[in-house]
Amino acid sequence: MRRARLALLLAATGLLLGAAPSVAVADRGAGLSTREREALDLLQAAARAGRDLTYTGTQQVATWRGPQAGSATAEVHHDPARGSTVDADEPLAVTAVLDPRLLRLLASSYDLAVAGPGTCTGRSARVVEASRADGSLAGRFWVDHDSGLLLRREVFDDRGRRLRSSAFVELSVGAGTASVAPAQQAALPAETAVAGLRADGWDVPRTLPGGLRLFATELTTPRPGGQLLHLAYSDGLSSVSLFEQRGRLGSAPLTGFRPAEVDGRPVWVRDAAPERVVWDGGGRVWTMVSDAPPATVRAAVAELPHDGAGSADGGVRTRLGRGLGRLGSLLNPFD
Amino acid sequence: MTCLGDVVAALVDGELDHAARERAQRHLAHCADCRAEVDAQRRLKSRLSGVSVDPSPSDALTARLLGLTSQPPPFREGTGADGAPPLVARPARPLTAAARGAARPVTLRTAGGPGSVRPGSARSRLRRRAGVGSALVALGLGAALALGGPQPSRPSTPVDPGTDAFVVDFVSTTGGSGGAGSGR
């Protein structure tokens, strides 16, 4: 596989996406217990360290999707002035970079607690655990005791199976100290921005199944006359990017994708993590890119517009209503 | 019945507007019963969409329908209660002696009084009207479904979905959630 150098200036993405006026995330906020506040403070300090420190290291990233497993290695260099550079075969997330918006979603979706001490790549760490309402473990974070950097992260499904793991296997931290200023105010896209997109005909769900909440929107024009809407959802541990393009899929198979069905409707799936699902519906082509559990991805795809078998272009009711309208128009001599 | 009630079906059918869908999903995030109900209805819908329905009647129904043609239609002569012209029946069964002796069509009378018809005949007329009504409704719905299909002239704009650039955008945006790796 061709080894591509992927430079991801992750620190800047928060400015690129959701640049529209925004409102604060509505979470449990002041309702956090002392135990949860301590854990959230630790992760927010890790976010500042990941943004403000200079460090170089090697990360091992692994994913599990049922019987399939994959792993990758990435060379990571972060400079507070230039952002993060990731040298890897595929686009990889950087463990040490924590988006404050996702931390707020994490705190509102899961119960956080400092579980105790741990070690990672020979460094002493404090471990933070994120649990679901039923008490099952959803995520675990290792925060470096000395630098405050996030060293390792693991995500589990609701049956306790590991979904993803990313960890530094080598790390060198440069000089400098992390700021103590509060993290960037976490924000969700403003209702006016979402309403504007909807008024232009875009479908913008605020939430997706699995507790995923919209936290960023970006409308671009990658080619003349062809707009692309990117909607980003997360619960703080798993994320979904939903891309909308006006148009329809052609009849030719998508290269690298396999045909599949979700809720009886045809889709194209690319299994390699992050999973990609492509389909058309409602006059648009939808692409979902996600590291969420497969069941969550299927449920999210099922709730969005579909064309094709079983859907009757929006459902029987929609088709019936449209047909009655056209029938009335045909029978109305004044129409 | 779950907390969401009929909203579950509307959610599964994709009939909810944005606000209602979000309210339902927020509820689902915390209600295992409703979540299970949504999952069950989704599975049922998925199964139904794969079922091939044979529209031909069963053998038993066919035999019963054929049997009806060998039976005489309701013997309805004279003027009905609604003043409709009399229908002269030609029964296939042998007429009774009384009927054979009648020189003209018989106006049937019952205990209901002059001009009334047998209750069985009224029920038959109601059934017939209901049948005609049902057929008209079915015809209308069928026409609506046929007309309600996608516009044949809908443009088919070529797009470039699912590209690697989307994965880069995903990682750039959700980099904080971590764990995106190659699935080799």
Side-chain angles (χ1 to χ4, degrees):
Chain A
M1 181 182 291
R2 185 174 63 86
R3 188 168 179 85
R5 183 176 179 81
L6 300 163
L8 303 174
L9 301 178
L10 298 172
T13 57
L15 301 176
L16 293 175
L17 279 156
S22 53
V23 294
V25 173
D27 60 13
R28 290 180 292 169
L32 291 177
S33 66
T34 305
R35 179 176 55 92
E36 289 175 300
R37 175 56 64 189
E38 179 192 11
L40 182 58
D41 286 347
L42 193 57
L43 292 177
Q44 286 177 332
R48 293 194 294 274
R51 182 192 62 198
D52 297 341
L53 298 182
T54 301
Y55 50 90
T56 300
T58 303
Q59 279 197 2
Q60 190 76 34
V61 179
T63 60
W64 293 265
R65 296 185 73 82
Q68 292 186 332
S71 65
T73 302
E75 302 297 327
V76 180
H77 175 76
H78 181 82
D79 182 285
R82 299 171 57 191
S84 294
T85 302
V86 183
D87 190 1
D89 290 342
E90 301 279 348
L92 291 175
V94 183
T95 290
V97 175
L98 284 169
D99 187 324
R101 294 171 298 180
L102 299 189
L103 283 185
R104 297 296 296 269
L105 289 175
L106 178 73
S108 66
S109 304
Y110 297 97
D111 182 23
L112 300 178
V114 179
T119 59
C120 179
T121 188
R123 304 173 73 99
S124 175
R126 298 180 73 188
V127 179
V128 174
E129 289 185 345
S131 304
R132 300 183 182 85
D134 62 4
S136 62
L137 180 64
R140 193 178 275 148
F141 302 83
W142 280 255
V143 180
D144 188 20
H145 190 274
D146 292 334
S147 67
L149 282 172
L150 183 63
L151 301 174
R152 180 179 175 184
R153 170 171 27 198
E154 291 184 337
V155 180
F156 302 87
D157 68 11
D158 55 6
R159 296 168 66 179
R161 295 173 300 195
R162 193 177 280 108
L163 286 174
R164 298 188 304 279
S165 170
S166 55
F168 278 109
V169 291
E170 291 178 15
L171 178 64
S172 172
V173 183
T177 55
S179 68
V180 293
Q184 174 189 340
Q185 177 65 33
L188 293 178
E191 193 58 49
T192 52
V194 172
L197 290 170
R198 288 174 176 168
D200 289 339
W202 299 101
D203 197 330
V204 189
R206 271 285 192 182
T207 60
L208 290 178
L212 300 171
R213 295 161 65 186
L214 181 69
F215 73 92
T217 66
E218 184 185 28
L219 185 61
T220 57
T221 308
R223 58 181 173 79
Q227 287 186 311
L228 174 67
L229 178 62
H230 178 185
L231 305 172
Y233 301 83
S234 182
D235 66 353
L237 289 177
S238 296
S239 298
V240 164
S241 275
L242 184 62
F243 299 90
E244 292 184 41
Q245 296 168 282
R246 290 195 170 99
R248 297 196 72 193
L249 285 175
S251 56
L254 295 181
T255 305
F257 287 73
R258 64 175 174 84
E261 279 193 359
V262 172
D263 203 23
R265 295 150 177 177
V267 299
W268 294 95
V269 175
R270 186 163 179 159
D271 293 309
E275 183 180 20
R276 283 180 257 181
V277 184
V278 176
W279 72 98
D280 56 6
R284 261 156 284 167
V285 174
W286 305 77
T287 300
M288 183 177 287
V289 184
S290 176
D291 59 15
T296 300
V297 174
R298 299 293 176 271
V301 171
E303 290 211 353
L304 292 163
H306 278 265
D307 290 345
S311 69
D313 192 35
V316 172
R317 290 185 201 175
T318 302
R319 181 170 180 153
L320 196 57
R322 192 167 48 215
L324 287 173
R326 287 177 187 166
L327 199 58
S329 178
L330 286 174
L331 297 176
N332 183 0
F334 303 104
D335 193 5
Chain B
M1 176 68 76
T2 59
C3 324
L4 288 179
D6 294 340
V7 174
V8 170
L11 179 67
V12 171
D13 288 342
E15 297 297 329
L16 296 180
D17 60 19
H18 293 291
R21 184 169 58 194
E22 285 164 11
R23 280 198 302 276
Q25 286 172 353
R26 275 199 297 273
H27 177 79
L28 289 176
H30 302 288
C31 181
D33 289 344
C34 289
R35 216 162 40 237
E37 179 66 15
V38 169
D39 288 343
Q41 291 207 21
R42 278 212 188 95
R43 281 196 299 273
L44 177 62
K45 187 177 177 186
S46 178
R47 284 178 191 161
L48 286 176
S49 68
V51 172
S52 61
V53 178
D54 181 5
S56 60
S58 66
D59 291 344
L61 179 57
T62 303
R64 288 174 59 194
L65 290 172
L66 288 173
L68 284 178
T69 62
S70 65
Q71 301 295 321
F75 193 80
R76 211 184 66 172
E77 294 189 357
T79 303
D82 56 357
L87 294 176
V88 178
R90 299 182 186 280
R93 283 186 298 191
L95 294 173
T96 63
R100 280 199 300 270
R104 56 185 172 78
V106 177
T107 299
L108 297 174
R109 298 181 188 280
T110 67
S116 66
V117 297
R118 291 184 300 174
S121 296
R123 281 198 298 272
S124 296
R125 191 159 47 244
L126 282 175
R127 277 201 296 270
R128 195 172 294 117
R129 285 176 181 168
V132 170
S134 301
L136 286 175
V137 169
L139 192 64
L141 291 178
L145 279 174
L147 288 171
Q151 293 277 20
S153 60
R154 189 165 59 176
S156 182
T157 309
V159 297
D160 193 17
T163 63
D164 291 344
F166 288 4
V167 178
V168 173
D169 284 350
F170 165 74
V171 172
S172 299
T173 309
T174 64
S177 68
S182 65
R184 293 168 294 175

